[in-house]
Amino acid sequence: MKLDSKKKEGLKQYRKRSALGEIFHRLRRNKGAMAGACILLVLFAVALTVDLWLDQEKVIGMNVRDKLQGPSLQHWFGTDEMGRDLFWRVVYGSRFSLAIGFVAVFVSLIVGVPLGAVAGYYGKKVETVIMRFTDIFSAVPAILMAVVVVSVLGTSTINLMIAVGVSSIPGFVRTTRAAVLTVRNEEYVEAARALGKSDLYIIFLHVLPNCLSPIIVQTTLRVASAIVSASSLSFLGLGIKPPAPEWGALLTAGRDFILDYSYLTFFPGLAIMITVLAFNLLGDGLRDAMDPKLKR
Amino acid sequence: MADNILEVRDLKKYFKTPRGQLHAVDGVSFSIQRGQTLGIVGESGCGKSTTGRCVLRLIEPTSGQVLFDGEDLLSLSSREMRRRRCDLQIIFQDPFSSLDPRNTVMQTIAEGVRMRGKYKTRAQVEGRVLELMETVGLAERLVNSYPHELDGGRRQRIGIARALAVEPKLIVCDEPVSALDVSIQAQILNLLKDLQRQLGLTYIFITHDLAVVNHISDEIMVMYLGQVVEKAPSEELFRAPSHPYTKALLSAIPIPKVGGERKRRILLKGEVSSPIEPGDECRFAKRCAYAGQVCREGCPGLRELSAGHVAACHKLGADGEMVP
């Protein structure tokens, strides 16, 4: 190894942060992303610990005398038709809703993205098989699909998450495939093949990193629809059982009163919106931080 | 017997199109001696890039043989081929799309360095990358730059360093300078020549620029619509082009001289005929001033005119002059 000392020093001089460190560093300078990250941090902290400090009675205990009161100092978000404090229900609901949004999207992400990447990268028969199955999959209504999954796996919160995740796989397959198609004919992919890199290496280290934008957008948007579709499953009695609060379920319950007591739908909706917004801000920031072209 | 590093026999690549088979490369044969440069010239769409990629099996050829050091690459399984890829590399035309925009110079070159397996630790790999950067004339301080921060010439140097990183024996240069400014073209060409001398590389140099190909090649192969129409040592080809297509090509080179004698240009009329399901006629016949009945009846084979000089034309006499 003929590496003289000058070169060794030179290397140190030019060495920068690791790739991850660099991404984190740039993320920190993005105000939007940090706002999103902070909101998510708070939401997750609440969701994970709410069992420990919130009295169940506050959440499900009925108090018919106080029913359908508007927002006040005593009941910040008002009370529902059973006189339950909506604020505490929303707070407690984060436990279910965040988990559903997060896990469901994670499930569809780890299944859908590799499938789409393989379909787009290899093309031909592999693509035809994967995409036609995706078509069949998406021809079945998402709710029906989720119902099937839940009834096969059994009713439980985790199965509900899987069910919701499974039904949004086709979207991820399509998005990823479309993005991969634009990248797979780039010459740097060919160069990697010429170097003798394996297909897996190329897909995960060259193709997918250059397809991130649409996948991140799809992911953040899916969090919202996962929360909402979980609520329709709850409505069908396949998910979280009432009276346990869950944002989607709160929305559905409030719908009957939307004309007279609109705050019943407004606050759970706001909670979903803030969550999605936070995911979106963080996702956008992440995308920008990972793109070296947007440096500085 | 000459020491041929690469021998290509009857290479064919047909693409399926809705209108029939597209004959991108149709029965191309050639060989290259170790340490030499073969220039492949021809207009767009004549199959020169496809030929280069077929040799590397980046495109799977329809049929033919590619003997590299006596071993037929096309008979290798894809796993065996992956191991052989270190011996054959490619430099691309467009230095803007041939580098992953998300990788730094270090990451891009290190990828190749690791393939050889000779350099184990991170420090060894990084040291080797710096060596390679020096070899191709990239300043050390650029080691953490991203491709979009660099100009075309520097990017092309990264591409060259990446190819050299696996210590190849043969490099296919696919129009490596045609996307660059003229001043930088010369730098890159000289770099390639220096590297060839230092490392004993063999080049297949694909280009449409005749001045460039003359500068760098030992032998030149002229392609037209997927076939070889003429092949000769560079000097010979420029001195005594035989095929009417080669003559037309050479007459199109501008002469940078004011007030000099005007050269008569041969203007080709008509268009390139379609490469989809070409008939059994001379593919150049439709644009050829000399074309006669015989040209429309059969495809001419390559004939040897003098040692190492072959051309495919019915109308070519034994003395290299056209027979009307």
Side-chain angles (χ1 to χ4, degrees), chain A residues 14-15 190 206 209 290, chain B residues 53 85 100 102 111 126 144:
Chain A
Y14 300 125
R15 181 171 289 159
E190 213 174 357
H206 286 294
M290 286 197 264
Chain B
R53 282 170 164 74
R85 285 199 183 280
D100 189 330
R102 284 172 196 270
E111 225 173 33
E126 288 179 347
N144 285 316

Side-chain angles (χ1 to χ4, degrees), chain A residues 5 14 39 123 192 204 235 258 268 270 273 294:
Chain A
S5 57
Y14 300 125
I39 297 172
F204 281 100
F235 183 74
I258 196 161
L270 194 69
M273 199 199 84
L294 293 173

Side-chain angles (χ1 to χ4, degrees), chain B residues 115-168:
Chain B
M115 283 319 280
R116 262 300 183 195
K118 258 200 330 211
Y119 305 93
K120 297 264 171 0
T121 67
R122 185 169 163 174
Q124 281 176 334
V125 171
E126 288 179 347
R128 174 72 181 143
V129 170
L130 289 186
E131 263 175 35
L132 283 163
M133 285 176 69
E134 198 177 314
T135 313
V136 299
L138 278 171
E140 250 175 43
R141 66 187 159 78
L142 301 175
V143 69
N144 285 316
S145 311
Y146 287 95
H148 69 97
E149 298 167 340
L150 305 174
D151 60 45
R154 289 207 179 105
R155 284 159 161 253
Q156 198 56 290
R157 284 173 200 271
I158 302 171
I160 295 171
R162 174 177 58 191
L164 291 178
V166 295
E167 293 161 36

Side-chain angles (χ1 to χ4, degrees), chain A residues 151-223:
Chain A
S151 33
V152 169
L153 297 177
T155 316
S156 77
T157 315
I158 191 79
N159 289 344
L160 174 77
M161 295 170 189
I162 294 173
V164 173
V166 165
S167 60
S168 55
I169 288 175
F172 279 92
V173 177
R174 287 221 183 79
T175 313
T176 310
R177 170 181 162 268
V180 168
L181 284 182
T182 63
V183 173
R184 73 151 183 213
N185 289 327
E186 293 282 335
E187 281 180 341
Y188 54 79
V189 174
E190 213 174 357
R193 280 211 291 141
L195 286 177
K197 298 285 182 191
S198 67
D199 287 344
L200 271 185
Y201 178 96
I202 296 173
I203 291 177
F204 281 100
L205 275 100
H206 286 294
V207 176
L208 280 181
N210 285 295
C211 298
L212 281 179
S213 315
I215 297 175
I216 286 178
V217 172
Q218 172 88 356
T219 307
T220 50
L221 291 181
R222 274 289 158 182
V223 171

